[in-house]
Amino acid sequence: MSEERLMSKKKPAYPVSADLDSYLDEYNRKIEIPIFYEDLLRFAGSVVVYDTAGEDTLWVRVYYSDSERQEIDLSLKQVYSILHSDGSDRIFQYLNIDAVDYCTFGNSKPFRIKVRNILNDNFTYFYVKRTDASRIYGLELEHMLSPYNLNFLVYKDTLIEEHIAGIPGDVFIKEMLPHCSESEKAQLAKEFVKFNERCMIRLLGDMRSYNYVIVPVHDFDHVVYRIRAIDFDQQCFEGKLKVYRPQFFKENYHMVELVRGKLQRNSVDQYKIEERSIVAKRIISSGTRINRLVMICKKDNISLPEHIAMLGKQIYELTLDANFKRSETMGELLALALDFVKRNYQDVSMKQIIEKRIDLD
């Protein structure tokens, strides 16, 4: 299936509702920052950024007039301090803003800020984007339901995100996957199955290979690979269920082939069950926080009516739960999906407890 038919051509940015704004304030996501996304758009010029192979990265490096550069640099250092430290100016003297890059590709059109510690040349990045409610839901759900915590800030129409380190999926597939050992390929296949399941459960779409990263973790005498989403624009928006399953994007063809070549059907089913169980445990342990987020999302407008109707019908065909067909918002579909996973986990757990008691008797 072509991407033009699988994905909508353009996803709008949705405003933050009063309830979501209150939620962000309660959980320290809403913090006043000294610079807005619009301020960074006042650049005087730009140059194309190329990778080490001389290919266009689709990012441009922007520069500002002398009259604005000093103020922008200072404001970006303040943002870094708020995001990663205590918000004070004590570390400013050790920081340098090495680059401000702008990407015109995709929906969010982010700015990527490179910050370097001048004492040891260590550097990191953070991103400045326009606020989008569906992206915020995506970030919060990733924080609670994935193995990874996320740090981000929201202030009015500006969203600040920390950098998620890793090897871009498309780069890894092209340059590193062919050199992986057979055991590493089998482990990657397992991770892709679990990643695919996690995205579908929490309705995170558009996980093409350049929207996630591969993270190598050295464990004793071998390398373990993890897969992390890095783009959350397509949280609860599209109407086709396939959009929420990374396996259906052509960019992930080699990862799907790994699964086919390395895993038996029983193993695939096992890893899916494992991931559903892990997500269910995270839902339970997140308690009132995730319940409040989902309740807010149920009342929010973050998609189109035709998308909601289509997705509800397709999930019904998968689960045979008629409530999905009756849903009127994407938040209701999300709530039902998470509740479906949690209930199945609890039902199986209770069945096992009862069976053990019978055995003991």
Side-chain angles (χ1 to χ4, degrees):
M1 182 180 289
S2 68
E3 287 172 25
E4 288 73 23
R5 293 174 59 196
L6 189 60
M7 299 278 297
S8 301
K9 289 185 178 180
K10 182 71 174 177
K11 172 192 165 292
Y14 290 94
V16 174
S17 68
D19 287 341
L20 181 56
D21 185 72
S22 177
Y23 170 93
L24 294 170
D25 193 21
E26 179 178 347
Y27 290 102
N28 296 316
R29 300 295 201 187
K30 180 186 173 185
I31 298 176
E32 186 172 349
I33 55 177
I35 193 168
F36 294 102
Y37 177 90
E38 297 296 328
D39 296 328
L40 294 178
L41 289 173
R42 302 199 306 264
F43 52 85
S46 64
V47 293
V48 176
V49 177
Y50 297 97
D51 63 19
T52 54
E55 299 290 331
D56 188 347
T57 62
L58 302 179
W59 290 83
V60 295
R61 185 148 298 165
V62 302
Y63 54 90
Y64 299 87
S65 65
D66 292 340
S67 60
E68 291 194 328
R69 179 72 202 202
Q70 187 173 359
E71 180 184 350
I72 287 175
D73 276 14
L74 179 61
S75 296
L76 292 174
K77 289 178 183 179
Q78 289 177 312
V79 171
Y80 174 89
S81 181
I82 294 169
L83 189 65
H84 291 291
S85 187
D86 60 2
S88 71
D89 60 1
R90 290 178 295 179
I91 62 173
F92 288 6
Q93 60 184 316
Y94 308 122
L95 302 178
N96 189 69
I97 306 300
D98 275 12
V100 178
D101 297 334
Y102 178 59
C103 182
T104 57
F105 177 72
N107 286 322
S108 59
K109 294 183 172 56
F111 284 93
R112 181 178 62 197
I113 316 301
K114 182 179 180 181
V115 184
R116 178 172 56 89
N117 185 308
I118 62 175
L119 296 179
N120 51 36
D121 276 344
N122 283 331
F123 63 87
T124 188
Y125 300 93
F126 66 85
Y127 298 84
V128 182
K129 305 176 181 180
R130 284 193 177 97
T131 301
D132 176 20
S134 59
R135 168 175 278 272
I136 291 171
Y137 286 120
L139 289 164
E140 273 292 289
L141 288 169
E142 181 75 3
H143 178 76
M144 287 185 274
L145 300 183
S146 83
Y148 317 104
N149 293 330
L150 279 180
N151 193 13
F152 68 92
L153 305 171
V154 180
Y155 184 56
K156 296 184 178 179
D157 63 351
T158 298
L159 173 64
I160 308 293
E161 288 181 34
E162 69 176 350
H163 176 63
I164 299 174
I167 304 165
D170 54 340
V171 174
F172 184 93
I173 290 169
K174 179 181 178 182
E175 299 180 4
M176 302 184 71
L177 182 58
H179 305 292
C180 288
S181 67
E182 295 307 307
S183 62
E184 288 173 342
K185 289 179 180 178
Q187 196 267 330
L188 274 163
K190 169 187 173 181
E191 282 300 309
F192 188 76
V193 169
K194 294 169 81 73
F195 178 67
N196 191 81
E197 193 70 11
R198 189 162 66 245
C199 290
M200 182 179 68
I201 290 170
R202 41 80 58 96
L203 299 182
L204 176 62
D206 193 19
M207 281 299 107
R208 285 174 279 190
S209 56
Y210 48 77
N211 286 333
Y212 60 82
V213 293
I214 310 290
V215 184
V217 180
H218 291 268
D219 184 21
F220 292 105
D221 59 348
H222 67 289
V223 177
V224 177
Y225 292 97
R226 298 286 182 256
I227 302 177
R228 291 193 65 176
I230 59 172
D231 193 307
F232 303 94
D233 279 334
Q234 291 290 340
Q235 176 67 51
C236 295
F237 175 72
E238 292 289 347
K240 296 183 177 69
L241 184 57
K242 286 184 176 181
V243 174
Y244 303 101
R245 304 177 74 179
Q247 69 188 77
F248 287 105
F249 288 101
K250 66 180 182 180
E251 291 86 353
N252 295 325
Y253 171 80
H254 292 291
M255 300 297 283
V256 174
E257 287 299 295
L258 269 191
V259 175
R260 287 175 178 162
K262 293 295 179 182
L263 302 180
Q264 296 180 3
R265 181 72 251 177
N266 288 344
S267 293
V268 171
D269 291 340
Q270 173 197 337
Y271 295 140
K272 286 183 177 180
I273 292 170
E274 286 181 8
E275 191 60 29
R276 289 175 206 153
S277 299
I278 291 171
V279 171
K281 291 175 183 176
R282 292 191 182 115
I283 294 170
I284 295 167
S285 64
S286 295
T288 57
R289 179 166 181 166
I290 195 167
N291 290 338
R292 183 174 175 193
L293 182 74
V294 171
M295 286 299 295
I296 293 168
C297 190
K298 286 172 70 173
K299 297 184 291 183
D300 213 343
N301 173 33
I302 54 172
S303 188
L304 304 174
E306 57 267 30
H307 288 183
I308 297 164
M310 181 188 298
L311 186 59
K313 181 180 178 181
Q314 291 182 6
I315 300 179
Y316 162 74
E317 292 169 355
L318 187 68
T319 63
L320 300 181
D321 184 340
N323 289 315
F324 285 102
K325 290 196 298 184
R326 294 193 283 266
S327 296
E328 297 182 352
T329 68
M330 275 292 182
E332 290 181 9
L333 290 175
L334 174 66
L336 287 168
L338 296 181
D339 187 60
F340 184 86
V341 170
K342 184 175 73 171
R343 281 189 289 107
N344 282 354
Y345 167 75
Q346 291 174 326
D347 290 346
V348 170
S349 298
M350 183 57 65
K351 181 181 178 182
Q352 290 174 339
I353 291 171
I354 294 171
E355 288 175 348
K356 285 181 181 178
R357 285 177 178 171
I358 291 173
D359 290 340
L360 288 171
D361 293 340

